[in-house]
Amino acid sequence: MKRLFAHISLATAVILTCLGNCYADGRIGLQNLKCEMLNDPLGIGTGKPRLSWQITGDVRNINQVAYQILVASTPEKLTSGQGDLWDSHKINSAESIMISYAGKPLESRAACYWKVRVWTNKGVSNWSKPALWSTGLLHPTDWKAKWIGCDRGFSWDSVSKFSRLSARYYRRGFSLNKTIKRATAYIVGLGHYELYINGQMIGDQVLAQAPTDYTESVKYNTFDVTAYLKQGNNAIGTVLGNGRYFTMRPKYKPKKIKEFGFPKMLLQLEVEYTDGTKQTIVSDDNWHFTADGPIRTNNEYDGEEYDATKEFAGWDQPGFNDSQWLKAELVQAPGGKLDAQMNEPIRVMDTIKPVSINQLNKDVWILDLGQNMAGWLQMRVKGNRGDKITLRYAETLQPNNELYIANLRDAKVTDVYMLKGGAEETWHPVFVYHGFRYVEISGYPGKPELADFEGQVVYDALPTIGRFETSNAIVNKIYHNAYWGMLSNYKGMPVDCPQRNERMPWLGDRAVGSLGESFVFANGNFYAKWLDDIAQSQKPDGAIPDVAPAYWNYYSDNMTWPGTYILVADMLYRQFADKAPIEKHYASMKKWMDYMRVKYMKNNIVTKDKYGDWCVPPESLELIHAKDSSLNTDGQLIATAYYYHLSGLMEKFAGMLHKSADVKFFAAMQQNVGKAFNDKYFDKSTSKYSNNTVTANLLPLYFGITSSANKQAVFRNIVAKINEAHDHISTGVVGTQWLMRGIAEFGRPDLAWKIASNTSYPSWGYMADRGATTIWELWNGDTANPAMNSRNHIMLLGDLIAWFYQDAAGIKTVNAGFKQLVMEPAIINGLNSVNASYQTAYGTVKSNYTNTKSSFNWHVTVPPNSSALVYVPAKYMDEVTEGGKKISAIKEIKAIKMENGRAVLSIGSGDYDFEVKY
Ligand code: RAM
């Protein structure tokens, strides 16, 4: 929500920068003040936000012992040390993240300026730089605005299968007759909106707003627009696009697509004058609109058409004559509760320069961006009025260099731009995006040059917080591909793919992938929002769908896809110390577990599954799904193993929430299910589960269903099975979620590394070797049938990225949020170096090592107010040096013990250089 603060009024900004940061004793500083994991958010939806800060300092072993938070209603009060909203006074505590606000109750529209200072064992900080947040409209009665829209199409629109609807432009002029102190705009624009005031676009968000089931929850955005308004005449305008509200495929029976209706909006502009009075401009039937503007159609699957000859200059400025426009109509509210959007907006996060442009025939050119991505192409062009350029997008080319579009199914992925003529024009679509590497350009006047085009990469504004690089080029390429796959599929919700006629938030794809992603992107708020989407999609009987928001109706009742609800809540707690999702969703999770148990459990076996181990490498290369039953794993086995595992998490959650009866219940459940599982699927004579697939053995082993006595034998079967496949992968979406960690944990990190660095089929490296720049939906994406064959999916990553960070780099959290780390990098022949860093809530962790024949060198960084147990590979404690000195000579490092060829040391924050000479 940084965008919001691009618009802080000038006076405030000046005061903020004047409050510089200096350290009380020159050592201990503070940075990155966050409210609800966001930088200076405006219009938050809670009166009890959680605050976090990071401590800096150039000495080792810094630990916070106390803090004081001041929250003031004005910057001036904060400067003078008056916490009129909250003065926590000195609180003795080591906690520096997720501290709940405990000051005066906050009403709607409260501006809260805050700062913090800390006492540590190494000195006291000065006050931090100030930060701020404001509350949004917390009560339904705060909304005076009316929903406006137009519940019909126009002659040029069509509501058939391939829906076409032009964008709607709304505007009104108004006058402000006093000196403005502050102005705030609250807006909902369904499905997408752009907001303009006096000719300027507000904010840098794109594809706003967050997609939800609009009958359940409608997110509003808040902007400080003080700087855009003036005393006298003003104008405000919005453009409304379809997004998921006016669906891409209405009346499309097979998938039972949810339809919401025609675009609509709700807008409230609140202006405060310096004399203390207020004026509010709201959406109502005083606005005018037209649907006959330049955006002729916008459909996420099919593309956007823009006719620049239909632009109306000055429509978003005062004085525009809108007498030809229609009167805005009052319409029904969409039904959902109005909630503040608390996850980051989507933005243009990166740009790509294309690498080549080739002429296909007289009028047709193929542009190659060199990277499969999601977003759009921005184009520069000069030509005659009415010239028409058509852009079509694809992920790959056919052998004859034409676009390969068979795998896009019926998505038309076509943008059209009609020139106004004369001067140079620059254009990109605004209400659609595409998943592509190649663009076919036809109708371009003159010769298109590379410099005329730019790929704009569009995804949720989640900071990149992880970096991972190894000595192995193919693994680095896989990481690159995973990175691009992840960001491509963040679209206000995690979608499966960005290109074909699907782009749906499938739960199963992110069950464990979300954990890997959390090492790469700060996705805490993003996934917290998704859990709300999932909760809102729950049926009264407890059923959770496979797709949420449930734009496609898939209530198929299985454990593996809906179970993501529980796995992601656990991830948010472990990675970001965010306990709120567990508190908020516990009851619905339990309801779903009960629903599945009552409806489908027979003799402690869950008898219902839908997807099996989705997308294993099939027996023949053109197949999407294996038909050979020896490759597939029994669905009931998978469902029962997941029930066992999820019961364990529910037991843990129940414990956190002090629900002792539930703790007992889920513990007993696990026992019963585990026993039934072993009785049914385990063959004592061979130590094999079921048909002995890797997945059938791995799930019980990794989840702890297998008894200790049998673990090694089961593991040997897994290894034998992998060896049989020439050390290649044989698992699908489900097995791969536990594979890398499972193999490594039971003592074969080398085998995990082999699987990770393979380049022959099937492997992630095979995809990379075949020129993939993202991850494919299928191991055999290059040969399989195009009916379900995206080249930008991330479900097959399984736990690979989590394994990279947790095991290859050795960056693991013990408890919630990396307050205590375990750093134990896997030492693997052939893996000569790893450079990894990860920004936890406390600050940056680093693990950079090189492992050669003669020495192991490891640079470790632990951020202040956290600590780590580090496992240095060594034969004796005395072999280990840090900064050239023996460990025993360094006071701050505690030698704990020798364990399995590792010297276990306890360290506090700071930078360390460990070395072991061989
Ligand atoms: C397809 C997609 C998606 C997967 C579902 C089950 O539509 O591949 O990623 O989750 O199937």
Side-chain angles (χ1 to χ4, degrees), residues 805-845:
Y805 278 91
Q806 294 183 329
D807 296 86
I811 301 176
K812 243 189 219 172
T813 180
V814 179
N815 44 10
F818 294 86
K819 175 97 175 132
Q820 276 175 279
L821 294 134
V822 173
M823 302 186 69
E824 186 178 3
I827 302 302
I828 297 164
N829 257 344
L831 173 54
N832 301 331
S833 75
V834 171
N835 279 326
S837 72
Y838 179 52
Q839 291 166 38
T840 73
Y842 296 92
T844 306
V845 177

Coordinates of all heavy atoms in Angstrom, one line a residue, residues 805-845:
Y805 N 15.9 -23.3 0.3 CA 16.2 -22.4 1.3 C 16.4 -23.1 2.7 O 17.4 -22.8 3.4 CB 15.0 -21.4 1.5 CG 15.1 -20.2 0.5 CD1 14.5 -20.3 -0.7 CD2 15.9 -19.1 0.8 CE1 14.6 -19.3 -1.7 CE2 16.0 -18.1 -0.1 CZ 15.3 -18.2 -1.4 OH 15.4 -17.1 -2.3
Q806 N 15.5 -24.0 3.0 CA 15.6 -24.6 4.3 C 16.8 -25.6 4.4 O 17.4 -25.7 5.5 CB 14.3 -25.4 4.7 CG 13.1 -24.5 4.8 CD 11.9 -25.2 5.2 OE1 11.7 -26.4 4.8 NE2 11.0 -24.6 5.9
D807 N 17.1 -26.3 3.4 CA 18.1 -27.4 3.5 C 19.3 -27.1 2.7 O 20.4 -27.2 3.2 CB 17.5 -28.7 3.1 CG 16.4 -29.2 4.0 OD1 15.2 -28.7 3.8 OD2 16.7 -29.9 5.0
A808 N 19.2 -26.7 1.4 CA 20.4 -26.5 0.7 C 21.1 -25.2 1.3 O 22.3 -25.3 1.5 CB 20.1 -26.2 -0.8
A809 N 20.4 -24.2 1.6 CA 21.0 -23.0 2.2 C 21.0 -23.2 3.7 O 21.9 -22.6 4.4 CB 20.2 -21.7 1.8
G810 N 20.1 -23.9 4.3 CA 20.0 -24.1 5.7 C 19.4 -23.0 6.5 O 20.0 -22.5 7.5
I811 N 18.4 -22.4 6.0 CA 17.7 -21.3 6.7 C 16.3 -21.8 7.1 O 15.4 -21.8 6.3 CB 17.6 -20.0 5.8 CG1 19.0 -19.6 5.3 CG2 16.9 -18.9 6.5 CD1 18.9 -18.4 4.4
K812 N 16.2 -22.1 8.4 CA 14.9 -22.7 8.9 C 14.5 -22.0 10.2 O 15.4 -21.6 11.0 CB 15.2 -24.1 9.3 CG 14.4 -25.2 8.4 CD 14.6 -26.5 9.0 CE 14.7 -27.6 7.9 NZ 15.1 -28.9 8.4
T813 N 13.2 -21.8 10.4 CA 12.8 -21.3 11.6 C 12.4 -22.4 12.6 O 11.9 -23.4 12.2 CB 11.5 -20.3 11.4 OG1 11.1 -19.8 12.6 CG2 10.4 -21.1 10.7
V814 N 12.7 -22.2 13.9 CA 12.4 -23.2 14.9 C 10.9 -22.9 15.3 O 10.1 -23.8 15.3 CB 13.3 -23.1 16.1 CG1 12.9 -24.1 17.2 CG2 14.7 -23.3 15.7
N815 N 10.7 -21.7 15.7 CA 9.4 -21.3 16.2 C 8.8 -20.4 15.1 O 9.2 -20.3 14.0 CB 9.5 -20.7 17.5 CG 10.7 -19.7 17.5 OD1 11.2 -19.4 16.5 ND2 11.0 -19.2 18.7
A816 N 7.8 -19.6 15.5 CA 7.1 -18.7 14.6 C 8.0 -17.5 14.2 O 8.5 -16.9 15.1 CB 5.8 -18.3 15.1
G817 N 8.1 -17.3 12.9 CA 8.7 -16.1 12.4 C 10.2 -15.9 12.5 O 10.6 -14.7 12.6
F818 N 11.0 -16.9 12.7 CA 12.4 -16.8 12.6 C 13.0 -16.0 13.8 O 14.1 -15.4 13.6 CB 12.9 -16.2 11.3 CG 12.6 -17.1 10.1 CD1 11.3 -17.0 9.5 CD2 13.5 -18.0 9.6 CE1 11.0 -17.8 8.4 CE2 13.2 -18.8 8.5 CZ 12.0 -18.7 7.9
K819 N 12.4 -16.1 14.9 CA 13.1 -15.5 16.1 C 14.3 -16.4 16.5 O 15.3 -15.9 16.9 CB 12.0 -15.5 17.3 CG 12.6 -15.1 18.6 CD 12.3 -13.6 18.8 CE 12.7 -13.2 20.2 NZ 13.5 -11.9 20.2
Q820 N 14.1 -17.7 16.3 CA 15.2 -18.7 16.5 C 15.3 -19.4 15.2 O 14.4 -20.0 14.7 CB 14.9 -19.7 17.6 CG 15.2 -19.2 19.0 CD 14.7 -20.2 19.9 OE1 13.5 -20.3 20.2 NE2 15.6 -21.1 20.4
L821 N 16.6 -19.5 14.7 CA 16.8 -20.2 13.5 C 17.6 -21.5 13.8 O 18.4 -21.5 14.7 CB 17.7 -19.3 12.6 CG 17.0 -18.0 12.1 CD1 18.0 -16.9 12.2 CD2 16.7 -18.2 10.6
V822 N 17.4 -22.4 12.8 CA 18.4 -23.5 12.8 C 19.0 -23.4 11.4 O 18.3 -23.4 10.4 CB 17.6 -24.9 12.9 CG1 18.6 -26.0 12.6 CG2 17.0 -25.1 14.2
M823 N 20.3 -23.3 11.4 CA 21.0 -23.2 10.1 C 21.9 -24.4 9.9 O 22.9 -24.6 10.6 CB 21.8 -21.9 10.1 CG 20.9 -20.7 10.3 SD 21.6 -19.1 10.2 CE 21.9 -19.0 8.4
E824 N 21.4 -25.3 9.1 CA 22.1 -26.6 8.9 C 22.1 -26.9 7.4 O 21.3 -27.7 6.9 CB 21.4 -27.7 9.7 CG 22.2 -29.0 9.6 CD 21.5 -30.1 10.5 OE1 20.4 -29.8 11.0 OE2 22.1 -31.2 10.5
P825 N 23.0 -26.3 6.6 CA 23.0 -26.5 5.2 C 23.4 -28.0 4.9 O 24.3 -28.5 5.6 CB 24.1 -25.5 4.7 CG 24.9 -25.2 5.8 CD 24.1 -25.3 7.1
A826 N 22.8 -28.6 3.9 CA 23.1 -29.9 3.5 C 24.5 -29.9 2.8 O 24.7 -29.0 2.0 CB 22.1 -30.4 2.6
I827 N 25.3 -30.8 3.2 CA 26.6 -30.8 2.5 C 26.6 -31.9 1.5 O 26.4 -33.1 1.8 CB 27.8 -31.0 3.5 CG1 27.8 -30.0 4.6 CG2 29.1 -31.1 2.8 CD1 27.9 -28.5 4.1
I828 N 26.7 -31.5 0.2 CA 26.4 -32.4 -0.9 C 27.6 -32.4 -1.8 O 28.0 -31.3 -2.2 CB 25.1 -32.0 -1.6 CG1 23.9 -32.1 -0.6 CG2 24.9 -32.9 -2.8 CD1 22.7 -31.4 -1.1
N829 N 28.1 -33.5 -2.2 CA 29.1 -33.6 -3.2 C 28.6 -33.0 -4.5 O 27.5 -33.3 -5.0 CB 29.4 -35.1 -3.5 CG 30.7 -35.5 -2.9 OD1 31.5 -34.6 -2.5 ND2 30.9 -36.8 -2.8
G830 N 29.4 -32.1 -5.1 CA 28.9 -31.5 -6.3 C 28.2 -30.2 -6.1 O 28.1 -29.4 -7.1
L831 N 27.8 -29.9 -4.9 CA 27.2 -28.6 -4.6 C 28.3 -27.8 -3.9 O 28.6 -27.9 -2.7 CB 26.0 -28.7 -3.7 CG 25.4 -27.4 -3.2 CD1 25.0 -26.5 -4.4 CD2 24.1 -27.7 -2.4
N832 N 29.0 -27.0 -4.7 CA 30.2 -26.4 -4.2 C 30.0 -25.0 -3.5 O 30.8 -24.6 -2.7 CB 31.2 -26.2 -5.3 CG 31.6 -27.5 -5.9 OD1 31.6 -28.5 -5.3 ND2 31.9 -27.5 -7.2
S833 N 28.9 -24.4 -3.9 CA 28.6 -23.1 -3.2 C 27.1 -22.8 -3.2 O 26.4 -23.2 -4.1 CB 29.4 -22.0 -3.7 OG 28.9 -21.6 -5.0
V834 N 26.7 -22.1 -2.1 CA 25.3 -21.6 -2.1 C 25.5 -20.2 -1.6 O 26.2 -19.9 -0.6 CB 24.4 -22.4 -1.1 CG1 23.1 -21.7 -0.9 CG2 24.2 -23.8 -1.7
N835 N 24.8 -19.3 -2.2 CA 24.6 -17.9 -1.7 C 23.2 -17.6 -1.5 O 22.4 -17.6 -2.5 CB 25.2 -16.9 -2.7 CG 26.7 -16.8 -2.6 OD1 27.3 -16.9 -1.5 ND2 27.3 -16.6 -3.7
A836 N 22.7 -17.5 -0.3 CA 21.3 -17.3 -0.1 C 21.1 -16.2 1.0 O 21.9 -16.1 1.9 CB 20.6 -18.6 0.4
S837 N 20.1 -15.4 0.8 CA 19.7 -14.5 1.8 C 18.2 -14.4 1.9 O 17.5 -14.8 0.9 CB 20.3 -13.1 1.6 OG 19.6 -12.5 0.5
Y838 N 17.7 -14.1 3.1 CA 16.3 -14.1 3.3 C 15.9 -13.0 4.3 O 16.5 -13.0 5.4 CB 15.8 -15.5 3.8 CG 14.3 -15.6 4.1 CD1 13.4 -15.2 3.1 CD2 13.9 -16.0 5.3 CE1 12.1 -15.3 3.3 CE2 12.5 -16.1 5.5 CZ 11.6 -15.7 4.6 OH 10.3 -15.8 4.8
Q839 N 15.0 -12.2 3.9 CA 14.6 -11.1 4.9 C 13.4 -11.6 5.8 O 12.3 -11.7 5.3 CB 14.1 -9.9 4.1 CG 15.3 -9.2 3.4 CD 14.8 -8.2 2.4 OE1 13.8 -7.5 2.6 NE2 15.5 -8.1 1.2
T840 N 13.8 -11.9 7.0 CA 12.7 -12.3 7.9 C 12.2 -11.0 8.5 O 12.6 -9.9 8.2 CB 13.3 -13.2 9.1 OG1 14.1 -12.3 10.0 CG2 14.2 -14.3 8.6
A841 N 11.2 -11.2 9.4 CA 10.6 -10.0 10.0 C 11.6 -9.3 10.9 O 11.5 -8.1 11.2 CB 9.4 -10.4 10.9
Y842 N 12.7 -10.0 11.3 CA 13.7 -9.3 12.1 C 14.8 -8.7 11.3 O 15.5 -7.8 11.9 CB 14.3 -10.4 13.1 CG 13.3 -11.0 14.0 CD1 12.6 -12.1 13.7 CD2 13.1 -10.3 15.2 CE1 11.6 -12.6 14.6 CE2 12.1 -10.8 16.1 CZ 11.4 -11.9 15.8 OH 10.4 -12.4 16.6
G843 N 14.9 -9.0 10.1 CA 16.0 -8.5 9.2 C 16.6 -9.6 8.4 O 16.0 -10.7 8.2
T844 N 17.7 -9.3 7.8 CA 18.2 -10.2 6.7 C 19.1 -11.4 7.3 O 20.0 -11.1 8.1 CB 19.1 -9.4 5.7 OG1 18.3 -8.4 5.2 CG2 19.5 -10.3 4.6
V845 N 18.7 -12.6 6.9 CA 19.5 -13.7 7.3 C 20.4 -14.1 6.0 O 19.9 -14.0 4.9 CB 18.6 -15.0 7.6 CG1 19.5 -16.2 7.8 CG2 17.7 -14.7 8.7

